[in-house]
Structures are given as C-alpha cells and as structure tokens.
Amino acid sequence: LQQLLGPLMAQAFGGKSSPTLRSLLAGRPATIVRPGTNCREAGMIMSDARKAALVVEDGRLVGIVSFKDMMSRAIAKELPLELSDVTTIMTPNPESVSPDTTVLEALQIMHDNKFLTLPVCESNGSVVGIVDVMDLVYGSGGTDGWRSIFDSAMDVADDLSDNNSLQSFNTTQTTKSTTRSTTKIKTQSLDSVQEKTDKRPVSKLRPKKPLISSAGDSVLAVAQMLANKRGDAALITSAAGGVAGILSDTDITRRVVAKYLDPSSTGVSSVMTPNPTCVSMSDSAMDALATMVENRFRHLPVVDDSGAVVGLLDIGKCLDDAITKLERAQEKSSSAAEDAVKQMANVQGAGNAQAAALQQLLGP
C-alpha cells in the first residue's frame, strides 16, 4: 500500500510523509474501562466519546468492546446491563499497534485483518487510544488524500476491465485486424478518461445488500436481526416501501443503552436517524463518497428511481474494496512484467543463467 499510495499521500500532505497514529490521537482521551465496569456504564462512556471501549487491567489492554459487541452480545441477548460485567461482552486480547505506525500502515493492517477499529499501545503496553476507519480516512490527507485512494482504485478497476475486454477480443481476431481494433479501442479509452472520473456511478462501489426492518419493529427485534445476520445497520422502511430511517449499532448504544431505554418496548422509529440522505445507483460515486466523508456517515442508503431501497454503502467496505483493487492491480502488473522478461529471454535465446539473472532482477 505504501508503494501504491505513498507518492499520492505525500502530495496530499504537501510533500510530507504519512502522519503517525500518535499525531492523530494527540489530545484525545482514551475510552478506557476496567474489569468490573458494567455494560451500562461502558455504553455511556462509549456514547460520550463515540468510540469503542478499551478494557484495561493493571495498565494493560485485555479487551475491546465495539458498538457491534454491545448490540450483538448484550442488547440482542437481553443481558441485564447493570448486572453484566463488560468483560462478558468484550473481545479479549485484541491486537494493537504502535503509535508510531503511519496512517498508510494502519490502513494496511486493518485491511489485512478485516478490523474496523485498532487499539494503539506503547511498546511497554500502556494504552494510547483507539482509531477507527473514519479516523484513518480523515487522516489520509484531507479531501485530496481520500480522493486519491478511491480514484486510484477505480482507475485500476477500469484499466483491468479494459484489458480483459481487449484480451477476449484479441483471441477471436486475426493478427492484422486485432492490431487495428486494439488501437481503436485504446484510443476511445484514453479519450474518455476524464469523463469516467466524473461519471463513475455509485454501482461501481458495489453497495451491499441492505438489511431491512419496518418502522413498527422494536429496537430489540432489529438488534436481534442484525446480530443474526452479522450486520451493523438496518434500513427502516415506511409502509409505502421508502426509506424512513436508518439504525446502526452506534445508534443503539448512544440512544438506547446510554439513555436507559428498554429495547423490547422502544420502537425503532423513536431512536432511528429519520429521513437519511440517500443516493441512487446512477449518481456519482465520488459525490457519494464525499457525502459520507464530509458528514461522517458510515452508511449511505442506495435507492432506485422509484425510491425503493436497493443497497447500502458502507465506508469501511468501500475502503476495503478500494485497497483490494489496488493490490490486485499491483499483482497483475508484477505478473505481467515477469511474463514479459521471460518472453524476452526466450525470444533472445537466453540461457538458463541469463534467465535466472533476469528473474532475480524482478524480485520475489
């Protein structure tokens, strides 16, 4: 990721290297709770900070409680919050990183391990804080930084698609006609680069299938549905089928747990975010991402032309997909370079020793 995005990030930061997590967390208090803290108290601390809670014992990190943990392991299972120790719902012994880890390195770690949050600890084990996906997006150099990540990912996706189309086309044509046709297609692709950047649709971001509940459901019913389907947000629909609201795991902690509401008797319509901003599949992908980043929306509903729900954008999934595309493009490029050198060696009649030397130049 450093190799792929390092130069772009440096440009976004005015020629400076990617910032460290220490700089991102400077001045922010850590959301620390201790064994013995009950789930209600932990939820209130998480609500105030809008961050997952780090469970610390004798100065050492022993667990983490995310908003999804609170929803799935406490609310959905109907635990008595005041009587349940936070250690019963935490994820024990989470991985942590050094505060000297850069934003790009943290992005790579979260991507490789499918983490949404990342505890940060000094080498002696003392807890510094926690970062999440949105922290890293914001820490990527402002608008120029995060746009460079998604623009680069969609560029390589378009390039791979064009290359695959050309390869398929080439296999059915004679050498002479292939040369003429390939030149024509590549010219069209170059002419439309700027247009693609401006008009790439939301569908390119591959919205995930929405998890849907009705406005008459209870918070408990929605939490149990999300827990069963391993989701973190539900779109709430009206009787007419349109989007009435959205309820996330964070909302459940902030608006139910921290407010002492009973999940079984509280209607979802009273705690959901009503009338959320929506986009359509044909809207600009970059505009949709800008809406999410600038407003700190983790989720953005996707509707069709009639207003019916068809998908849900998740900023974490969008970022993970973007990094995956960049990595695949890098792998494909490395493989193509290796094949080219091998072919050159064969054409020029290179011996085994020469071929080995060329292979060594390519690296692993």
Side-chain angles (χ1 to χ4, degrees):
L1 197 59
Q2 177 64 42
Q3 183 180 358
L4 290 167
L5 294 177
L8 291 171
M9 291 294 99
Q11 184 176 358
F13 286 109
K16 298 178 181 178
S17 60
S18 177
T20 64
L21 300 186
R22 190 185 301 278
S23 65
L24 288 189
L25 292 171
R28 298 187 193 178
T31 49
I32 292 175
V33 298
R34 289 174 172 73
T37 304
N38 68 49
C39 291
R40 178 83 67 187
E41 292 171 334
M44 295 175 72
I45 292 171
M46 292 164 65
S47 174
D48 288 341
R50 299 196 179 193
K51 293 289 181 186
L54 299 172
V55 186
V56 177
E57 185 174 23
D58 298 327
R60 302 282 175 165
L61 179 67
V62 297
I64 183 173
V65 179
S66 68
F67 291 102
K68 193 171 184 178
D69 294 333
M70 183 67 72
M71 178 190 72
S72 301
R73 299 174 182 175
I75 299 300
K77 292 184 177 180
E78 300 184 76
L79 295 184
L81 299 182
E82 284 84 0
L83 301 177
S84 301
D85 194 294
V86 71
T87 57
T88 63
I89 65 169
M90 73 180 187
T91 298
N93 305 314
E95 291 189 35
S96 63
V97 296
S98 163
D100 297 320
T101 301
T102 68
V103 167
L104 277 180
E105 289 168 342
L107 281 171
Q108 185 76 65
I109 293 168
M110 293 180 78
H111 169 71
D112 291 345
N113 295 280
K114 305 298 180 186
F115 295 155
L116 292 176
T117 55
L118 200 57
V120 182
C121 299
E122 298 284 5
S123 57
N124 63 5
S126 63
V127 176
V128 176
I130 188 169
V131 293
D132 57 29
V133 170
M134 291 303 289
D135 291 326
L136 298 185
V137 170
Y138 272 92
S140 297
T143 301
D144 289 342
W146 69 258
R147 278 184 177 272
S148 69
I149 295 175
F150 291 110
D151 260 338
S152 299
M154 287 190 279
D155 281 342
V156 297
D158 289 341
D159 290 343
L160 290 175
S161 178
D162 288 344
N163 289 338
N164 289 336
S165 297
L166 287 172
Q167 289 171 4
S168 176
F169 179 77
N170 288 346
T171 58
T172 61
Q173 304 296 316
T174 64
T175 302
K176 186 174 181 179
S177 63
T178 299
T179 302
R180 290 197 302 267
S181 301
T182 301
T183 302
K184 182 178 180 182
I185 292 173
K186 284 185 176 179
T187 300
Q188 290 172 342
S189 178
L190 289 170
D191 290 342
S192 61
V193 167
Q194 185 60 47
E195 184 178 354
K196 281 183 180 179
T197 300
D198 296 335
K199 295 188 176 181
R200 290 187 183 110
V202 164
S203 58
K204 284 278 188 181
L205 297 175
R206 300 192 309 134
K208 62 184 182 182
K209 183 178 178 181
L211 299 177
I212 297 175
S213 294
S214 69
D217 289 338
S218 69
V219 171
L220 176 61
V222 175
Q224 291 176 334
M225 181 273 290
L226 289 173
N228 289 335
K229 297 187 177 182
R230 298 185 178 182
D232 56 11
L235 292 182
I236 313 302
T237 57
S238 64
V243 179
I246 184 170
L247 185 73
S248 69
D249 50 5
T250 305
D251 296 331
I252 289 175
T253 296
R254 294 183 58 234
R255 300 171 185 172
V256 179
V257 174
K259 300 297 184 183
Y260 288 83
L261 297 182
D262 179 358
S264 63
S265 61
T266 301
V268 70
S269 59
S270 65
V271 294
M272 69 184 184
T273 299
N275 306 313
T277 301
C278 298
V279 293
S280 73
M281 282 288 197
S282 58
D283 284 340
S284 163
M286 292 306 295
D287 286 350
L289 289 167
T291 296
M292 298 178 79
V293 174
E294 291 167 6
N295 294 282
R296 285 190 171 268
F297 295 160
R298 279 175 54 207
H299 305 98
L300 196 61
V302 183
V303 298
D304 62 18
D305 293 338
S306 67
V309 178
V310 294
L312 183 68
L313 287 177
D314 181 316
I315 192 67
K317 178 181 179 298
C318 290
L319 185 60
D320 189 63
D321 286 350
I323 294 173
T324 296
K325 288 174 184 176
L326 290 169
E327 289 180 333
R328 287 177 179 170
Q330 180 74 1
E331 291 168 3
K332 192 174 183 68
S333 176
S334 298
S335 176
E338 183 176 349
D339 290 344
V341 171
K342 286 179 178 179
Q343 185 176 6
M344 181 178 68
N346 291 333
V347 169
Q348 294 180 352
N352 289 338
Q354 290 170 299
L358 287 169
Q359 180 64 37
Q360 188 174 3
L361 285 174
L362 284 172

